[in-house]
Amino acid sequence: MTRQRCHCKISLLYIECLKFRSAEDEAKADLGSCKNQCPKQLSCGHHCKDLCHPGRCEEKCSHRVKLKCPCKRIKKELPCSKAIEEQTQVACDEACKALRRKANEVKEAEENAALEEEKRKQQAELEAFEKRQKGRRKKRGKRGGGEEEEEAEGGWRRYRTVVMLPLCGVLLAAVTFYLIQLG
């Protein structure tokens, strides 16, 4: 018995020496196979579907792949090798274009509705603000009577305590001094 690795280099095989030496090339390839699926990857990314074999794998991939149009509505199933050879692409038809147009119209309508709603909210907020401002103006007018009188008296009212307090203090000090001098 001889020990050797299979074609995919994963398993160890024990083969009778006489059988292996006397076999023809096809039989030697069959004896050197572990009979498992080939683990090698093809250039397309799929695994080879053949059983363990010598040499390179055939690039004719038989996996079925699904191709879709850009909007993903139309699906087409082809063998991988054919899809790669022909650079096949699924194109959108009129129904896809109509659906896309309809979706765009719905999206625009939603955006317009959102803008309108935002404008309504802003308008309501503005009106409420103006209403509050009008209410404040009316209260001021009722309280003081005339705004001009407040302006004229306002200067004196502001400085009354600042001017009157020291003036009263000086006057009180003068009266006290005079009373002390008399007595």
Side-chain angles (χ1 to χ4, degrees), residues 12-106:
L12 277 174
L13 301 175
Y14 294 95
I15 307 168
E16 290 181 30
C17 185
L18 182 62
K19 241 187 196 180
F20 189 72
R21 297 233 186 251
S22 63
E24 293 182 16
D25 288 338
E26 277 186 37
K28 280 185 182 180
D30 193 40
L31 285 172
S33 172
C34 62
K35 309 287 191 261
N36 293 327
Q37 186 177 356
C38 180
K40 297 173 189 166
Q41 271 194 339
L42 302 175
S43 61
C44 64
H46 295 116
H47 284 286
C48 178
K49 281 196 169 185
D50 296 334
L51 296 179
C52 180
H53 58 87
R56 304 186 103 211
C57 299
E58 281 186 43
E59 288 299 320
K60 289 276 187 176
C61 182
S62 60
H63 278 84
R64 305 281 295 170
V65 292
K66 290 180 184 176
L67 300 175
K68 296 178 183 180
C69 69
C71 68
K72 295 182 176 31
R73 190 182 78 79
I74 300 173
K75 297 170 187 151
K76 199 174 188 181
E77 205 169 295
L78 296 170
C80 181
S81 59
K82 187 174 181 182
I84 290 174
E85 282 176 10
E86 299 174 5
Q87 296 292 321
T88 307
Q89 291 183 355
V90 179
C92 289
D93 61 356
E94 290 301 317
C96 290
K97 291 175 184 174
L99 283 172
R100 193 176 306 133
R101 260 187 261 118
K102 197 172 194 179
N104 285 340
E105 289 172 1
V106 167

Side-chain angles (χ1 to χ4, degrees), residues 125-137:
E125 195 174 301
L126 180 65
E127 288 173 0
F129 178 73
E130 287 176 351
K131 196 173 187 180
R132 283 193 304 259
Q133 292 294 16
K134 280 184 180 179
R136 288 182 183 166
R137 287 184 194 140

Side-chain angles (χ1 to χ4, degrees), residues 86 117 122:
E86 299 174 5
E117 184 64 29
Q122 287 177 352

